[in-house]
Amino acid sequence: SNTTNGTTWFPAGDFSPAKNETIMSFNDRLKDTEYALKIFSRWELLIYLFWIPLMFCLARFVYFGSFAIRYKGFSLREHLTQLDNKAMSVSFAGYLLAVSLVVFGSMSDQKAEDNATNLLNTVGWSLIGQLFLIGGEFLNDVVLHLKIDYKEQIMNKNLAVGIVNAGVHISSGIVVMYTVSGQVHNWGEAILSAVILWVGTQIAFI
């Protein structure tokens, strides 16, 4: 526990204050700036504030491109806002969740004393993870559900197919999240081991 101004602040999860001790008041907790300022103690954390939204922009571009290549004049905005395509809304939401899992995995196992390496690992694994997600969707289309035309069914507002497609995205995101996590000492070996792990988990998934 931490003591401030004669009061004792117990960490989250400790709900049993010792005898004759009091918990920090709500106002005192609001004034505590330790966690609010922590993000400014490591410069790469500030870059993440821009990198994470950029990854979601990239995810939107990738998702849009997967339909635009096949359907001329395709507009993701139109399907989401004007055509009330719930199948595409669910599918797109599942893909964004998958991307968020990948970004989360890429930011794990970082060393506080090595800011540049942390940033390089996060950026590198995030981009590699996007490629793995694209590969997972391709395998799903041509192997797992060969007889279902996902793109066509989602364009036709088939909500059931949209839900299944979102589930595939999320499942793939969970797999990739653990594939792209960890420190990198040699990028060649790290990418090779990640590919082997991804292929193995995709086979098990199928």
Side-chain angles (χ1 to χ4, degrees):
S1 62
N2 300 318
T3 302
T4 305
N5 298 328
T7 60
T8 302
W9 174 25
F10 289 86
D14 188 347
F15 302 104
S16 302
K19 188 176 181 180
N20 299 326
E21 291 183 332
T22 57
I23 299 176
M24 178 184 284
S25 68
F26 180 69
N27 287 335
D28 287 338
R29 279 181 280 161
L30 284 178
K31 296 175 185 177
D32 191 338
T33 58
E34 176 184 356
Y35 293 102
L37 294 177
K38 186 170 289 186
I39 191 172
F40 297 101
S41 64
R42 291 166 52 188
W43 58 265
E44 84 273 19
L45 296 181
L46 294 175
I47 296 179
Y48 293 158
L49 293 177
F50 298 95
W51 176 251
I52 294 174
L54 183 62
M55 284 297 296
F56 283 106
C57 291
L58 177 61
R60 183 188 183 282
F61 176 78
V62 171
Y63 188 88
F64 163 80
S66 66
F67 284 89
I69 291 176
R70 180 171 174 181
Y71 300 98
K72 186 177 180 180
F74 171 78
S75 172
L76 180 60
R77 181 188 300 273
E78 181 180 354
H79 277 269
L80 296 179
T81 61
Q82 299 178 21
L83 300 180
D84 193 28
N85 191 336
K86 294 181 175 63
M88 186 162 295
S89 300
V90 173
S91 172
F92 183 49
Y95 186 71
L96 290 180
L97 179 55
V99 171
S100 68
L101 291 172
V102 171
V103 174
F104 177 77
S106 70
M107 297 176 66
S108 65
D109 194 24
Q110 297 195 350
K111 296 182 178 179
E113 67 277 6
D114 197 347
N115 307 83
T117 300
N118 290 339
L119 181 61
L120 178 61
N121 289 347
T122 297
V123 171
W125 281 132
S126 296
L127 296 176
I128 294 171
Q130 282 272 19
L131 295 178
F132 283 160
L133 286 180
I134 296 172
E137 182 178 14
F138 174 77
L139 289 177
N140 172 72
D141 288 347
V142 302
V143 178
L144 188 59
H145 293 131
L146 180 60
K147 296 183 179 180
I148 299 177
D149 189 337
Y150 272 88
K151 298 292 189 297
E152 185 68 24
Q153 292 298 321
I154 291 175
M155 288 288 287
N156 292 330
K157 304 182 180 181
N158 189 329
L159 181 57
V161 173
I163 293 172
V164 172
N165 190 236
V168 170
H169 287 316
I170 296 171
S171 301
S172 183
I174 294 173
V175 169
V176 176
M177 175 179 66
Y178 292 105
T179 303
V180 299
S181 61
Q183 291 287 325
V184 176
H185 302 290
N186 183 301
W187 273 104
E189 295 178 357
I191 293 175
L192 178 60
S193 62
V195 169
I196 293 173
L197 179 60
W198 178 77
V199 171
T201 51
Q202 287 296 324
I203 292 174
F205 178 65
I206 290 172

